[in-house]
Amino acid sequence: MHKVKAKGILSAKNGMNLYRGCSHGCIYCDSRSRCYHMEHEFEDIEVKENAAELLEDALRRRRKKCMIGTGAMTDPYIPLEEELCQMRRALEVIERYGFGVTVLTKSARILRDMDLLQKIHERAKCVVQMTLTTYDEGLCRKLEPNVSTTAERFAALKEFRDAGIPAVVWLTPVLPFINDTPENISGILEMCAEAKVRGIICFGMGVTLREGSREYFYRQSERLFPGMKERYIRAYGSRYELASPRNAELMGIFRDRCRGGGILCGNDRIFEYLSKFPEEPGGHQMTLWD
């Protein structure tokens, strides 16, 4: 860990990252890609120690309320958050100024901040986004070794359901030859239905690999599944998009289960919902099929 004084905290689309780098160890992590120009070791997490102050200054000057997003590049609930409470301080600022928030995470640590998330949702809007990739707990611990297991994330989703806070699940990535099975997809979708998630984001059954993330994925997958690197190279070469050979079958299962369970599965519609502040038409009150 190392600390820096950041110059700014919000992107043009009102996203923020309180940390750079991650210790979750997910073997497929795109944030390791060289295109993001991280100048330090990925596990040497950069902490933006003035993030809360920068956020307060930005929100104080905003003339119009909006949704604030976090978690796109670095999960805000990495283990360091227990000690540093960067995310909790940011949520306190968001609640104080009456903005909305949407948080993308793989960690049940988000439950620590249930009180603040409820206050934000009562005053404006809060949406929890949770990534689920692997139904089998043993396989999950291999692919995502230092993060809350799928069962722990599922339990968290049910707590948010009971608290009346809407949730969206990211079903991505699905790794060819590893977890691209009907049993895996069906198991995750059953969890989503029971947790009554509002929508599921899915870009197709597969994974993307770039320079940086590709090398890490190959090292880890070969360690876990001997011969897997060669299988990927034979099947995909150096492609960026690696679609599962079972994509059509699995997407059929995905769409059928979402429609049958009343779960929104159109990415554009879900992103529209996530970005809309309640004062805008279709914000907090948007239904699944508007």
Side-chain angles (χ1 to χ4, degrees):
M1 176 191 79
H2 63 281
K3 296 181 179 181
V4 299
K5 292 283 188 181
K7 295 180 180 179
I9 195 63
L10 287 181
S11 70
K13 293 185 177 180
N14 300 310
M16 64 177 181
N17 284 291
L18 306 173
Y19 304 101
R20 290 198 80 203
C22 187
S23 55
H24 280 164
C26 303
I27 72 169
Y28 51 74
C29 181
D30 179 69
S31 294
R32 292 179 180 273
S33 301
R34 294 209 178 106
C35 63
Y36 299 121
H37 304 293
M38 197 167 294
E39 304 299 332
H40 54 86
E41 291 295 321
F42 195 71
E43 287 78 13
D44 177 20
I45 296 164
E46 182 178 283
V47 179
K48 300 176 183 179
E49 61 178 344
N50 59 335
E53 292 79 8
L54 289 172
L55 181 62
E56 181 157 17
D57 182 63
L59 299 191
R60 185 192 301 118
R61 291 184 285 106
R62 288 290 174 96
R63 302 178 68 179
K64 186 177 180 181
K65 301 290 199 314
C66 65
M67 297 294 293
I68 306 297
T70 188
M73 284 292 296
T74 298
D75 194 317
Y77 288 101
I78 55 177
L80 264 179
E81 174 61 20
E82 291 184 6
E83 170 192 346
L84 300 180
C85 295
Q86 291 271 99
M87 186 60 191
R88 185 160 183 90
R89 285 198 293 273
L91 290 174
E92 288 170 344
V93 172
I94 291 168
E95 193 277 330
R96 184 159 60 247
Y97 285 89
F99 283 69
V101 70
T102 179
V103 183
L104 175 58
T105 184
K106 294 179 186 171
S107 177
R109 291 186 187 90
I110 190 174
L111 292 172
R112 180 202 65 185
D113 296 331
M114 175 71 85
D115 59 331
L116 281 170
L117 297 171
Q118 285 180 305
K119 287 179 181 178
I120 292 170
H121 194 58
E122 289 167 3
R123 187 174 179 185
K125 176 180 170 184
C126 170
V127 185
V128 171
Q129 301 180 69
M130 190 77 74
T131 300
L132 300 178
T133 68
T134 309
Y135 180 72
D136 179 85
E137 286 288 277
L139 184 57
C140 173
R141 290 183 185 278
K142 290 181 178 181
L143 303 181
E144 304 159 339
N146 304 319
V147 72
S148 299
T149 68
T150 300
E152 291 167 340
R153 284 174 254 173
F154 175 43
L157 285 170
K158 289 189 288 186
E159 290 201 40
F160 284 111
R161 174 201 64 194
D162 295 343
I165 294 176
V168 165
V169 161
W170 287 64
L171 178 53
T172 182
V174 176
L175 305 175
F177 318 128
I178 297 175
N179 63 349
D180 58 338
T181 66
E183 294 77 15
N184 184 51
I185 302 306
S186 296
I188 292 172
L189 293 173
E190 287 172 10
M191 288 180 169
C192 291
E194 185 175 341
K196 298 187 185 303
V197 304
R198 179 176 284 266
I200 303 175
I201 292 171
C202 179
F203 299 98
M205 303 297 168
V207 65
T208 58
L209 295 177
R210 312 181 212 236
E211 185 182 5
S213 62
R214 181 188 304 275
E215 291 81 358
Y216 185 80
F217 174 74
Y218 280 163
R219 284 198 305 274
Q220 299 305 318
S221 61
E222 186 65 19
R223 176 179 61 85
L224 296 166
F225 314 102
M228 189 59 70
K229 174 181 176 180
E230 201 56 43
R231 189 173 184 184
Y232 265 76
I233 292 172
R234 285 198 309 268
Y236 301 106
S238 59
R239 291 184 216 166
Y240 167 60
E241 296 183 353
L242 287 63
S244 165
R246 309 181 78 170
N247 179 65
E249 174 192 3
L250 299 179
M251 286 303 294
I253 294 172
F254 170 68
R255 295 189 186 100
D256 288 346
R257 294 288 181 89
C258 286
R259 290 177 185 132
I263 300 172
L264 188 63
C265 62
N267 292 350
D268 290 344
R269 298 292 307 287
I270 298 172
F271 286 130
E272 179 186 6
Y273 166 71
L274 291 172
S275 66
K276 281 189 178 296
F277 191 74
E279 294 175 349
E280 300 176 71
H284 203 171
Q285 302 302 318
M286 177 180 173
T287 65
L288 290 179
W289 312 114
D290 284 347

